[in-house]
Amino acid sequence: MSNGVHMKLQTKLLIGFSLSTIITLCLGVFSLSIIDKLQEADKKLYVRATEPMNDLVSVMENFMKMRILLRELVLDEGIKDFKKYLDDITSTRSTFAGNLKNIEKTVLSKDSKEQYERFMNVLIAYRNGADKLVQQATSRNYAEAMVIMNDEVAPIGQKLQNEINSMVAIKVSHGRLLAENNEEMANGSVRWMYAILGVAILVSGLLGGLLT
C-alpha cells in the first residue's frame, strides 16, 4: 500500500514538474520570439526612417551651398580664377549624389517612390540649368548667365527645394507610423506575456492541489 502511495505521489510530481517545464519553455520561447520581432521592428525604424534623415539634412545643406556658389559665380564679375568655384561645385555635387544614393535605398513605399521620381525629374532639370549657367559665367557672359539664373535656375531651384521638403515630410510621417506600430506591438506582447504568466500561475495552483 505504501509503495502504491509512493508511486502515485511520484507520478504526480513527475507530471507536475513536466507541465511546469513545458509552461516555462513555452513562455521562454514566446518571450525570445517577441524580443526578436521588436529588435527587427526597431532596426526597420532606424534603417527606413531615422538613418535617412542624416542624408536628407546633408542634401538640404549641400543644395543651399550649391545655390550660393552659383549665385556668387554670376554676381562676382571680378573672379580671376574659376578653379576654386568649379572645384567647390564638383565637390558639393559629389557629396549630394552620395547622399541621394543612400536615400534611394530606403525608398520602398509607393508614395515615397512617386515622390522620389518627381524629385529626380526636377533635379535633372536643375542640373541642366546649372551647367548652362556655369558655362556662361566661366566664359564671362555674365548678362546671359544672369538671365539663366533668374529665368531657369532660380525657379527650378525653388521647385527642387519643395521636393526636398516633401521627402523630409514623408520620412517623418513614415517614421511616426513605424514607431506607433512598434509601440502597439510591444504593448500587445506585454499583454500576451501577462496572459501566459496568468495561465502558468493557474496551472501551478491546480498542480499544487493535485499533489495535496
Side-chain angles (χ1 to χ4, degrees):
M1 185 71 177
S2 176
N3 288 338
V5 172
H6 177 73
M7 289 298 294
K8 187 176 181 181
L9 180 60
Q10 188 179 48
T11 301
K12 287 182 177 181
L13 287 172
L14 181 60
I15 294 173
F17 283 125
S18 297
L19 289 175
S20 297
T21 301
I22 292 173
I23 292 172
T24 302
L25 181 62
C26 290
L27 184 60
V29 171
F30 178 77
S31 300
L32 290 175
S33 174
I34 292 302
I35 290 173
D36 287 340
K37 288 182 179 179
L38 290 174
Q39 287 179 336
E40 186 64 29
D42 285 341
K43 180 181 178 181
K44 183 179 179 181
L45 174 62
Y46 177 76
V47 171
R48 295 182 59 176
T50 306
E51 190 175 36
M53 292 304 296
N54 291 328
D55 289 297
L56 283 171
V57 170
S58 183
V59 163
M60 289 188 286
E61 291 177 348
N62 283 289
F63 178 56
M64 291 302 299
K65 181 179 179 181
M66 176 66 69
R67 297 177 79 173
I68 292 172
L69 286 170
L70 293 176
R71 186 174 180 82
E72 290 179 348
L73 195 63
V74 174
L75 297 180
D76 189 357
E77 298 184 9
I79 298 176
K80 295 181 179 180
D81 185 6
F82 290 104
K83 186 176 184 305
K84 179 181 180 303
Y85 281 92
L86 297 178
D87 287 346
D88 285 345
I89 289 173
T90 300
S91 175
T92 302
R93 280 189 169 185
S94 177
T95 304
F96 192 91
N99 296 139
L100 290 182
K101 187 176 181 180
N102 293 334
I103 293 172
E104 187 177 10
K105 297 176 184 177
T106 67
V107 178
L108 302 175
S109 65
K110 181 180 178 181
D111 56 341
S112 293
K113 290 179 180 179
E114 291 175 350
Q115 195 284 323
Y116 189 78
E117 184 177 355
R118 292 195 303 270
F119 165 80
M120 290 303 299
N121 289 335
V122 178
L123 177 60
I124 291 171
Y126 183 80
R127 285 174 174 170
N128 291 337
D131 288 341
K132 289 191 291 184
L133 186 151
V134 169
Q135 183 180 7
Q136 293 299 324
T138 52
S139 299
R140 301 193 183 278
N141 297 325
Y142 293 108
E144 182 62 28
M146 181 66 74
V147 171
I148 294 173
M149 184 176 70
N150 292 333
D151 295 348
E152 186 173 349
V153 174
I156 298 176
Q158 186 56 54
K159 290 181 181 179
L160 189 59
Q161 182 62 58
N162 292 338
E163 294 298 334
I164 293 174
N165 294 340
S166 295
M167 277 201 296
V168 173
I170 288 177
K171 284 299 179 185
V172 171
S173 176
H174 287 179
R176 184 184 300 111
L177 181 60
L178 287 172
E180 291 173 353
N181 290 341
N182 290 359
E183 183 180 7
E184 180 60 30
M185 182 188 297
N187 291 336
S189 301
V190 170
R191 289 192 292 269
W192 272 104
M193 290 181 71
Y194 277 133
I196 294 175
L197 186 59
V199 171
I201 294 173
L202 178 62
V203 172
S204 296
L206 292 175
L207 288 175
L210 290 175
L211 293 175
T212 57

